[in-house]
């Protein structure tokens, strides 16, 4: 059950509130699909079913030209168009239905693919990132239809491989540039700085992801018989990965020294709040230098995502012949992701000790993004957020995550105004176990989006 808000007396707010029980049921249906866009982990049919669900939902809302698009990376995105009044502006609404893997399912308090209400939040993989984002769009449009109609032409695009970063939708959009043309674009895949503080994201770090393999021997060797002289591939890999950070824990990739000193001038992130949001254990220090905002929004950041090596249980006393790691580098605005990938590849290769053989394979890439915050669409969103969040002013923040499609859209449609909002505030714990969404945030942001569409249309008419 949602809480009452000061804006609840308005008809549009009442319409949004009345839609929330239905939205919960629908989000539960959508969360139930294990739509991880990696066939090595989950059947492709799970993503296909989720895409079909999204397409059916758009058709039920009166969308025309609804299509499940087969994109070049082998995944599917869903498109639909809802015609508005003659002469009305066009607004593109974006979300994605694919999700991160659930990680350790035993660590979830409730099953990851079963929407569960607990302590005032709805738990489930994708509840915030970003199946909830699609429901946010639906609620906003339904509320507008209930209160006089949708005042703009709406296009919706729901991506099927955003989390994998394999670029299917980007390449499809580049091949069909007329499909997603719009005057304004609302990306529903970021989040408020904290619950209850309306926030638009102005920058996104891009990302490059590399798989690095190391080989030193023709096969594993007995550590007692050969250890001490035989080159250990796992030890070599550890040295290579360690070279990516200095003594403070800051990222140090050769060739990216200038970007490693960039600063963030906007909204700042209090260190104590960050420690609480990140659930840093007592006594453990933070990594890097500069402000928290510098580190997470303005500078490159490397993360070792996984290592292939023998698990502790069942390991034998052997010198390892080969080892492998998956490494990501978050790329700040102003740095080309391809150049960052080249620098990271060169750094890892040059850091290999003992002449170890290194093979680096790219696994994904997305460019950073910076929005124009002085556009009329931002003014309309600020006004809408002020109604949906009484007493709060719109904040503009950065985001450490990546949404590869943003730069593609900015390049294809340079006149379009792009705004980023969403449900992934810190308590949502996206990409971690026990991901959740705040139903209050879903309600407020749905109202804000509906008000924005009204205000943006009125501004264009004026």
């Amino acid at each position: 059950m949602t809480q009452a808000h000061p804006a609840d007396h308005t008809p549009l707010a009442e319409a949004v509130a009345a839609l929330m029980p239905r939205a919960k049921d629908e989000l539960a249906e959508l969360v139930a699909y294990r739509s991880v866009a990696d066939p090595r982990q989950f059947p492709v049919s799970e993503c296909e079913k989720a895409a079909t669900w999204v397409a059916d939902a758009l058709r039920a809302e009166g969308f025309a030209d609804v299509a499940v698009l087969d994109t070049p990376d082998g995944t599917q995105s869903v498109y639909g168009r809802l015609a508005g009044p003659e002469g009305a502006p066009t607004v593109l609404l974006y979300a994605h239905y694919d999700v991160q893997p659930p990680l350790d399912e035993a660590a979830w308090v409730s099953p990851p693919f079963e929407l569960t209400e607990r302590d005032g939040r709805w738990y489930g993989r994708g509840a915030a990132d970003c199946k909830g984002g699609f429901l946010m769009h639906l609620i906003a449009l339904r509320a507008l239809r209930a209160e006089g109609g949708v005042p703009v032409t709406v296009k919706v695009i729901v991506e099927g491989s955003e989390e994998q970063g394999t670029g299917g939708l980007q390449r499809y959009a580049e091949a069909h540039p007329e499909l997603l043309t719009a005057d304004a674009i609302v990306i529903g895949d970021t989040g408020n700085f904290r619950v209850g503080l309306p926030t638009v994201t102005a920058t996104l770090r891009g990302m490059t992801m590399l798989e690095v393999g190391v080989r030193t021997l023709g096969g594993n060797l007995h550590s007692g018989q050969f250890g001490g002289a035989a080159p250990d591939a796992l030890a070599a890999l550890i040295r290579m990965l360690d070279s990516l950070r200095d003594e403070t824990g800051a990222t140090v990739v050769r060739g990216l020294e200038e970007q490693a000193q960039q600063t963030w001038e906007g909204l700042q992130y209090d260190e104590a709040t960050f420690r609480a949001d990140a659930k840093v254990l007592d006594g453990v220090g933070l990594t890097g230098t500069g402000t928290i905002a510098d580190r997470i929004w303005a500078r490159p950041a490397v993360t070792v995502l996984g290592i292939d090596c023998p698990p502790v249980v069942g390991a034998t006393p052997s010198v390892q012949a080969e080892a492998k790691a998956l490494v990501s580098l978050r790329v700040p605005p102003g740095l080309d992701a391809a150049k960052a990938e080249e620098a990271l590849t060169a750094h890892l290769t040059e850091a290999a000790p003992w002449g170890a053989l290194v093979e680096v394979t790219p696994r994904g890439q997305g460019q950073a993004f910076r929005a124009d915050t002085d556009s009329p669409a931002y003014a309309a969103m600020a006004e809408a957020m002020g109604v949906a969040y009484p007493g709060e002013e719109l904040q503009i923040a950065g985001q450490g995550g990546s949404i590869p499609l943003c730069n593609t859209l900015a390049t294809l449609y340079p006149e379009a105004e792009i705004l980023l909002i969403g449900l992934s505030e810190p308590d949502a714990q996206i990409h971690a176990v026990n991901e959740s969404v705040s139903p209050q945030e879903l309600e407020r942001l749905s109202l804000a989006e509906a008000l924005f569409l009204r205000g943006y249309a009125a501004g264009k008419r004026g």
Side-chain angles (χ1 to χ4, degrees):
M1 187 161 181
T2 57
Q3 297 176 351
H5 307 311
D8 278 356
H9 66 279
T10 67
L12 197 58
E14 292 172 357
V16 168
L19 289 164
M20 289 300 294
R22 177 184 177 186
K24 181 182 180 183
D25 292 341
E26 290 176 320
L27 185 58
E29 293 176 16
L30 196 49
V31 164
Y33 297 114
R34 299 171 176 253
S35 50
V36 178
D38 184 351
R40 298 172 300 179
Q41 301 183 64
F42 291 94
V44 173
S45 60
E46 291 293 299
C47 285
E48 293 173 341
K49 291 174 184 177
T52 298
W53 192 98
V54 170
D56 288 345
L58 292 179
R59 291 189 186 98
E61 295 304 315
F63 276 73
D65 306 321
V66 175
V68 176
L69 311 174
D70 292 319
T71 61
D73 64 354
T75 64
Q76 297 178 323
S77 292
V78 183
Y79 168 82
R81 180 179 181 275
L82 182 68
E86 184 177 353
T90 297
V91 178
L92 174 67
L93 305 178
Y94 167 90
H96 63 85
Y97 68 80
D98 70 301
V99 298
Q100 285 285 334
L103 303 173
D104 180 9
E105 295 200 27
W108 285 73
V109 175
S110 51
F113 296 103
E114 182 180 313
L115 194 71
T116 304
E117 184 168 3
R118 188 168 65 252
D119 301 324
R121 298 183 67 92
W122 300 344
Y123 287 80
R125 177 57 91 222
D129 183 27
C130 179
K131 293 175 177 179
F134 177 60
L135 265 296
M136 176 183 73
H137 297 326
L138 284 183
I139 295 168
L141 296 175
R142 287 167 177 166
L144 285 168
R145 289 178 64 193
E147 294 299 320
V150 179
V152 299
T153 291
V154 175
K155 293 181 179 180
V156 170
I157 187 71
V158 185
E159 189 173 4
S161 59
E162 191 275 340
E163 299 291 9
Q164 295 299 312
T166 46
L169 182 54
Q170 293 103 282
R171 297 200 295 276
Y172 190 95
E174 289 164 354
H176 304 82
E178 74 291 343
L179 186 71
L180 303 181
T181 53
D183 298 290
I185 300 170
V186 178
I187 306 290
D189 192 25
T190 58
N192 287 340
F193 183 68
R194 58 173 171 78
V195 171
L197 184 66
T199 310
V200 170
T201 300
T203 67
L204 298 168
R205 288 192 295 192
M207 182 185 69
T208 183
M209 189 156 31
L210 300 175
E211 186 177 294
V212 53
V214 181
R215 293 184 296 114
T216 54
L217 302 166
N220 287 1
L221 299 173
H222 191 288
S223 61
Q225 186 174 3
F226 294 98
D232 185 330
L234 180 55
L237 178 62
I238 291 170
R239 283 203 176 188
M240 293 161 61
L241 299 177
D242 181 62
S243 74
L244 294 170
R245 293 180 179 270
D246 66 14
E247 64 278 0
T248 72
T251 294
V252 285
V253 176
R254 284 189 286 277
L256 304 183
E257 292 83 1
E258 181 179 348
Q259 290 80 7
Q261 299 302 315
Q262 292 179 162
T263 58
W264 177 262
E265 301 300 328
L267 180 70
Q268 293 297 312
Y269 206 150
D270 174 73
E271 183 170 326
T273 302
F274 178 82
R275 290 185 66 93
D277 290 343
K279 296 180 171 54
V280 180
L281 300 180
D282 290 344
V284 178
L286 303 183
T287 56
T289 59
T291 69
I292 300 298
D294 292 341
R295 288 177 251 181
I296 66 172
W297 296 336
R299 297 176 180 176
V302 71
T303 304
V304 180
L305 304 180
I307 298 179
D308 281 346
C309 60
V312 171
V313 176
T316 62
S318 302
V319 179
Q320 300 301 310
E322 59 183 79
K324 189 178 293 184
L326 187 64
V327 180
S328 81
L329 179 67
R330 296 290 177 172
V331 179
L335 174 60
D336 181 70
K339 292 183 178 178
E341 183 177 287
E342 291 175 4
L344 180 59
T345 299
H347 181 113
L348 288 167
T349 302
E350 294 167 8
W354 319 314
L357 303 180
V358 177
E359 181 178 4
V360 178
T361 305
R363 292 301 184 197
Q365 185 184 108
Q367 296 289 354
F369 172 78
R370 188 188 303 275
D372 175 10
T373 58
D374 295 324
S375 68
Y378 272 80
M381 184 60 78
E383 184 176 350
M385 288 288 198
V387 175
Y389 290 83
E392 298 286 353
E393 292 187 2
L394 180 68
Q395 301 294 317
I396 297 176
Q399 176 120 326
S402 305
I403 304 174
L405 184 66
C406 281
N407 262 54
T408 300
L409 296 176
T411 300
L412 290 175
Y413 320 118
E415 300 302 316
E417 304 172 71
I418 301 178
L419 303 98
L420 297 97
I421 63 173
L423 300 162
S424 298
E425 38 75 26
D427 290 346
Q429 295 193 160
I430 64 170
H431 293 204
V433 299
N434 297 310
E435 177 184 345
S436 67
V437 69
S438 161
Q440 289 76 36
E441 290 287 81
L442 177 58
E443 182 175 343
R444 292 176 195 252
L445 285 166
S446 299
L447 174 59
E449 184 170 293
L451 290 166
F452 162 76
L453 293 174
R454 265 191 186 173
Y456 185 68
K460 284 292 185 178
R461 286 196 301 271

